[in-house]
Amino acid sequence: MNERIDAPWIPAWIPASGHALRHAGVHFDAVRIQGDQGEYVATELMVCTDFDAGPVIREVSGDRNLYFLLPPHTASEFRWPPGVRALTRCHGTLAYVGVPALSGMTWPLSWRSAPSRKAPFVAGELLREVVEGVVSRGGSRRS
């Protein structure tokens, strides 16, 4: 079954197989959070959104970054704490984000939360609130 025919809402920037690099700031902005802190933020965000948080990409090797994909040109509208980086296209800078296919072999990338028709992007304001909450608790989950 061809997912692109059955689900036409799938964004064109998601590759059909494997993974591909995409420019941040063109189809989406990204907020990068490393390791355990990123996992805590993703978990809180999933709970807050009834498990429809929008696109969150997990890197399973290296720094184990998580990339929270926001609408283009929106990530720099928020102040992010140290260790959280907005990736967008501004002031002559270029940033790339690896984007996995929705299924198949995509190692070392995977979807922590896939985009959906209802949530094609992560809500920036909600992400900022969740990040602030996780950072204020020292990067740990709710007790």
Side-chain angles (χ1 to χ4, degrees):
M1 192 178 282
N2 186 331
E3 292 181 49
R4 295 214 180 257
I5 293 171
D6 293 337
W9 58 267
I10 295 173
W13 46 265
I14 296 178
S17 63
H19 50 77
L21 289 177
R22 301 291 189 233
H23 279 112
V26 176
H27 301 287
F28 55 80
D29 280 0
V31 173
R32 183 180 67 201
I33 307 174
Q34 191 175 39
D36 289 341
Q37 187 176 42
E39 287 292 341
Y40 299 144
V41 168
T43 298
E44 293 284 330
L45 189 63
M46 295 292 285
V47 169
C48 290
T49 60
D50 201 24
F51 296 89
D52 195 13
V56 179
I57 298 169
R58 176 191 284 145
E59 206 174 46
V60 296
S61 65
D63 291 335
R64 296 178 21 246
N65 293 313
L66 274 87
Y67 297 87
F68 300 80
L69 305 187
L70 281 61
H73 316 292
T74 60
S76 60
E77 293 176 5
F78 304 100
R79 291 183 52 98
W80 301 102
V84 176
R85 181 162 180 220
L87 302 174
T88 188
R89 188 178 212 171
C90 65
H91 309 295
T93 62
L94 291 177
Y96 295 89
V97 176
V99 176
L102 290 175
S103 62
M105 179 56 116
T106 63
W107 191 89
L109 303 172
S110 65
W111 288 101
R112 177 67 165 79
S113 173
S116 68
R117 183 174 292 145
K118 180 181 164 200
F121 295 105
V122 171
E125 183 66 35
L126 178 59
L127 177 62
R128 185 190 57 77
E129 290 173 15
V130 170
V131 167
E132 286 178 357
V134 168
V135 168
S136 71
R137 290 190 304 274
S140 63
R141 295 181 193 186
R142 281 190 244 187
S143 301

Tab-separated table of all heavy atoms in Angstrom, residues 23-31 68-78 80 86-91 93 121-122 124:
chain	number	residue	atom	x	y	z
A	23	HIS	N	16.797	21.575	4.726
A	23	HIS	CA	17.179	22.874	5.284
A	23	HIS	C	16.162	23.300	6.333
A	23	HIS	O	14.961	23.328	6.052
A	23	HIS	CB	17.173	23.963	4.201
A	23	HIS	CG	18.382	23.990	3.349
A	23	HIS	ND1	18.348	23.651	2.026
A	23	HIS	CD2	19.664	24.322	3.632
A	23	HIS	CE1	19.542	23.781	1.520
A	23	HIS	NE2	20.362	24.182	2.467
A	24	ALA	N	16.653	23.619	7.519
A	24	ALA	CA	15.773	24.232	8.520
A	24	ALA	C	15.454	25.639	8.030
A	24	ALA	O	16.300	26.304	7.437
A	24	ALA	CB	16.462	24.273	9.871
A	25	GLY	N	14.229	26.065	8.261
A	25	GLY	CA	13.804	27.394	7.851
A	25	GLY	C	13.140	27.430	6.494
A	25	GLY	O	12.652	28.473	6.076
A	26	VAL	N	13.105	26.304	5.795
A	26	VAL	CA	12.431	26.257	4.501
A	26	VAL	C	11.053	25.620	4.664
A	26	VAL	O	10.035	26.286	4.530
A	26	VAL	CB	13.269	25.494	3.454
A	26	VAL	CG1	12.511	25.361	2.145
A	26	VAL	CG2	14.610	26.193	3.232
A	27	HIS	N	11.018	24.332	4.987
A	27	HIS	CA	9.753	23.635	5.191
A	27	HIS	C	9.328	23.658	6.657
A	27	HIS	O	8.161	23.463	6.968
A	27	HIS	CB	9.860	22.175	4.746
A	27	HIS	CG	10.228	22.036	3.306
A	27	HIS	ND1	9.351	22.308	2.291
A	27	HIS	CD2	11.383	21.667	2.723
A	27	HIS	CE1	9.945	22.101	1.135
A	27	HIS	NE2	11.185	21.715	1.367
A	28	PHE	N	10.291	23.841	7.535
A	28	PHE	CA	10.056	23.843	8.978
A	28	PHE	C	11.234	24.508	9.658
A	28	PHE	O	12.306	24.641	9.075
A	28	PHE	CB	9.890	22.410	9.509
A	28	PHE	CG	11.058	21.514	9.162
A	28	PHE	CD1	12.247	21.551	9.887
A	28	PHE	CD2	10.968	20.641	8.093
A	28	PHE	CE1	13.318	20.742	9.549
A	28	PHE	CE2	12.040	19.820	7.750
A	28	PHE	CZ	13.219	19.876	8.486
A	29	ASP	N	11.044	24.948	10.901
A	29	ASP	CA	12.138	25.291	11.804
A	29	ASP	C	12.276	24.115	12.750
A	29	ASP	O	11.358	23.299	12.871
A	29	ASP	CB	11.819	26.545	12.625
A	29	ASP	CG	12.047	27.833	11.855
A	29	ASP	OD1	12.446	27.785	10.679
A	29	ASP	OD2	11.800	28.904	12.446
A	30	ALA	N	13.403	24.026	13.414
A	30	ALA	CA	13.608	22.939	14.372
A	30	ALA	C	14.167	23.506	15.665
A	30	ALA	O	14.884	24.502	15.672
A	30	ALA	CB	14.562	21.893	13.799
A	31	VAL	N	13.804	22.853	16.754
A	31	VAL	CA	14.395	23.146	18.055
A	31	VAL	C	15.098	21.872	18.480
A	31	VAL	O	14.471	20.813	18.577
A	31	VAL	CB	13.321	23.573	19.083
A	31	VAL	CG1	13.931	23.719	20.471
A	31	VAL	CG2	12.658	24.878	18.639
A	68	PHE	N	12.455	19.036	17.397
A	68	PHE	CA	11.035	19.373	17.456
A	68	PHE	C	10.773	20.319	16.283
A	68	PHE	O	11.352	21.406	16.235
A	68	PHE	CB	10.711	20.044	18.791
A	68	PHE	CG	11.006	19.160	19.975
A	68	PHE	CD1	12.293	19.019	20.465
A	68	PHE	CD2	9.987	18.442	20.588
A	68	PHE	CE1	12.570	18.192	21.542
A	68	PHE	CE2	10.250	17.613	21.673
A	68	PHE	CZ	11.541	17.486	22.146
A	69	LEU	N	9.935	19.902	15.335
A	69	LEU	CA	9.740	20.674	14.114
A	69	LEU	C	8.555	21.623	14.255
A	69	LEU	O	7.429	21.203	14.509
A	69	LEU	CB	9.529	19.734	12.926
A	69	LEU	CG	10.632	18.686	12.710
A	69	LEU	CD1	10.387	17.929	11.412
A	69	LEU	CD2	12.025	19.296	12.753
A	70	LEU	N	8.844	22.904	14.104
A	70	LEU	CA	7.866	23.982	14.203
A	70	LEU	C	7.593	24.551	12.813
A	70	LEU	O	8.369	24.306	11.886
A	70	LEU	CB	8.401	25.102	15.092
A	70	LEU	CG	8.345	24.936	16.609
A	70	LEU	CD1	9.151	23.759	17.084
A	70	LEU	CD2	8.808	26.195	17.292
A	71	PRO	N	6.531	25.321	12.647
A	71	PRO	CA	6.302	25.965	11.348
A	71	PRO	C	7.512	26.817	10.963
A	71	PRO	O	8.224	27.335	11.829
A	71	PRO	CB	5.061	26.834	11.587
A	71	PRO	CG	4.364	26.200	12.744
A	71	PRO	CD	5.465	25.638	13.609
A	72	PRO	N	7.761	26.985	9.666
A	72	PRO	CA	8.904	27.797	9.236
A	72	PRO	C	8.858	29.210	9.812
A	72	PRO	O	7.785	29.787	9.976
A	72	PRO	CB	8.767	27.843	7.706
A	72	PRO	CG	7.783	26.799	7.340
A	72	PRO	CD	6.963	26.494	8.548
A	73	HIS	N	10.038	29.722	10.131
A	73	HIS	CA	10.222	31.106	10.586
A	73	HIS	C	9.570	31.386	11.941
A	73	HIS	O	9.170	32.520	12.206
A	73	HIS	CB	9.703	32.104	9.540
A	73	HIS	CG	10.100	31.769	8.149
A	73	HIS	ND1	11.406	31.828	7.707
A	73	HIS	CD2	9.371	31.318	7.104
A	73	HIS	CE1	11.456	31.442	6.449
A	73	HIS	NE2	10.232	31.122	6.052
A	74	THR	N	9.455	30.385	12.807
A	74	THR	CA	8.822	30.615	14.114
A	74	THR	C	9.732	30.304	15.301
A	74	THR	O	9.509	30.824	16.384
A	74	THR	CB	7.532	29.789	14.270
A	74	THR	OG1	7.842	28.406	14.153
A	74	THR	CG2	6.499	30.174	13.225
A	75	ALA	N	10.737	29.472	15.139
A	75	ALA	CA	11.549	29.044	16.287
A	75	ALA	C	12.299	30.200	16.934
A	75	ALA	O	12.479	30.222	18.152
A	75	ALA	CB	12.535	27.951	15.873
A	76	SER	N	12.710	31.175	16.139
A	76	SER	CA	13.473	32.294	16.703
A	76	SER	C	12.574	33.314	17.399
A	76	SER	O	13.071	34.267	17.999
A	76	SER	CB	14.310	32.963	15.613
A	76	SER	OG	13.481	33.445	14.591
A	77	GLU	N	11.257	33.118	17.373
A	77	GLU	CA	10.346	34.016	18.081
A	77	GLU	C	10.381	33.798	19.592
A	77	GLU	O	9.877	34.620	20.344
A	77	GLU	CB	8.906	33.804	17.591
A	77	GLU	CG	8.678	34.221	16.160
A	77	GLU	CD	7.281	33.901	15.676
A	77	GLU	OE1	6.437	33.439	16.480
A	77	GLU	OE2	7.029	34.107	14.477
A	78	PHE	N	10.970	32.682	20.014
A	78	PHE	CA	10.983	32.325	21.433
A	78	PHE	C	12.396	32.381	21.982
A	78	PHE	O	13.366	32.128	21.270
A	78	PHE	CB	10.411	30.909	21.630
A	78	PHE	CG	9.034	30.739	21.071
A	78	PHE	CD1	8.835	30.141	19.842
A	78	PHE	CD2	7.922	31.199	21.763
A	78	PHE	CE1	7.572	29.990	19.310
A	78	PHE	CE2	6.649	31.057	21.237
A	78	PHE	CZ	6.471	30.455	20.011
A	80	TRP	N	15.025	30.543	24.151
A	80	TRP	CA	15.271	29.169	24.564
A	80	TRP	C	16.402	29.154	25.581
A	80	TRP	O	17.354	29.920	25.468
A	80	TRP	CB	15.622	28.310	23.347
A	80	TRP	CG	14.549	28.312	22.316
A	80	TRP	CD1	14.538	29.024	21.147
A	80	TRP	CD2	13.302	27.615	22.364
A	80	TRP	NE1	13.366	28.804	20.464
A	80	TRP	CE2	12.592	27.940	21.177
A	80	TRP	CE3	12.723	26.738	23.271
A	80	TRP	CZ2	11.336	27.422	20.892
A	80	TRP	CZ3	11.463	26.216	22.978
A	80	TRP	CH2	10.795	26.556	21.810
A	86	ALA	N	17.573	26.779	18.565
A	86	ALA	CA	16.649	26.970	17.448
A	86	ALA	C	17.436	26.870	16.149
A	86	ALA	O	18.477	27.505	15.998
A	86	ALA	CB	15.966	28.327	17.551
A	87	LEU	N	16.942	26.065	15.231
A	87	LEU	CA	17.557	25.922	13.913
A	87	LEU	C	16.589	26.489	12.892
A	87	LEU	O	15.471	26.001	12.734
A	87	LEU	CB	17.834	24.447	13.613
A	87	LEU	CG	18.725	23.716	14.619
A	87	LEU	CD1	18.797	22.236	14.287
A	87	LEU	CD2	20.108	24.329	14.655
A	88	THR	N	17.017	27.552	12.232
A	88	THR	CA	16.179	28.226	11.260
A	88	THR	C	17.084	28.857	10.213
A	88	THR	O	18.307	28.726	10.282
A	88	THR	CB	15.269	29.258	11.955
A	88	THR	OG1	14.327	29.758	11.011
A	88	THR	CG2	16.050	30.378	12.605
A	89	ARG	N	16.505	29.533	9.292
A	89	ARG	CA	17.284	30.172	8.236
A	89	ARG	C	17.252	31.670	8.489
A	89	ARG	O	16.236	32.321	8.255
A	89	ARG	CB	16.642	29.839	6.900
A	89	ARG	CG	17.438	30.264	5.724
A	89	ARG	CD	16.716	29.840	4.466
A	89	ARG	NE	17.684	29.546	3.442
A	89	ARG	CZ	17.389	29.002	2.302
A	89	ARG	NH1	16.148	28.667	2.030
A	89	ARG	NH2	18.322	28.785	1.406
A	90	CYS	N	18.352	32.197	9.019
A	90	CYS	CA	18.402	33.634	9.267
A	90	CYS	C	19.845	34.110	9.289
A	90	CYS	O	20.765	33.335	9.566
A	90	CYS	CB	17.704	33.988	10.575
A	90	CYS	SG	18.505	33.319	12.033
A	91	HIS	N	20.040	35.365	8.968
A	91	HIS	CA	21.342	36.018	9.040
A	91	HIS	C	22.437	35.206	8.345
A	91	HIS	O	23.543	35.083	8.846
A	91	HIS	CB	21.741	36.293	10.497
A	91	HIS	CG	20.685	36.990	11.275
A	91	HIS	ND1	20.262	38.266	10.987
A	91	HIS	CD2	19.930	36.575	12.319
A	91	HIS	CE1	19.306	38.613	11.828
A	91	HIS	NE2	19.077	37.608	12.642
A	93	THR	N	22.846	32.055	8.003
A	93	THR	CA	23.201	30.749	8.549
A	93	THR	C	22.370	29.655	7.888
A	93	THR	O	21.231	29.877	7.485
A	93	THR	CB	22.976	30.681	10.073
A	93	THR	OG1	21.589	30.889	10.332
A	93	THR	CG2	23.791	31.721	10.804
A	121	PHE	N	2.824	20.316	12.746
A	121	PHE	CA	4.010	20.875	13.397
A	121	PHE	C	3.797	20.870	14.905
A	121	PHE	O	2.658	20.813	15.382
A	121	PHE	CB	4.260	22.326	12.959
A	121	PHE	CG	4.593	22.465	11.506
A	121	PHE	CD1	3.666	22.955	10.603
A	121	PHE	CD2	5.845	22.103	11.037
A	121	PHE	CE1	3.961	23.080	9.262
A	121	PHE	CE2	6.162	22.218	9.695
A	121	PHE	CZ	5.219	22.700	8.804
A	122	VAL	N	4.883	20.977	15.637
A	122	VAL	CA	4.827	21.156	17.090
A	122	VAL	C	4.419	22.604	17.351
A	122	VAL	O	4.878	23.524	16.657
A	122	VAL	CB	6.209	20.857	17.720
A	122	VAL	CG1	6.248	21.235	19.193
A	122	VAL	CG2	6.580	19.392	17.523
A	124	GLY	N	4.818	25.918	18.937
A	124	GLY	CA	5.990	26.582	19.522
A	124	GLY	C	5.775	27.062	20.946
A	124	GLY	O	6.632	26.864	21.816
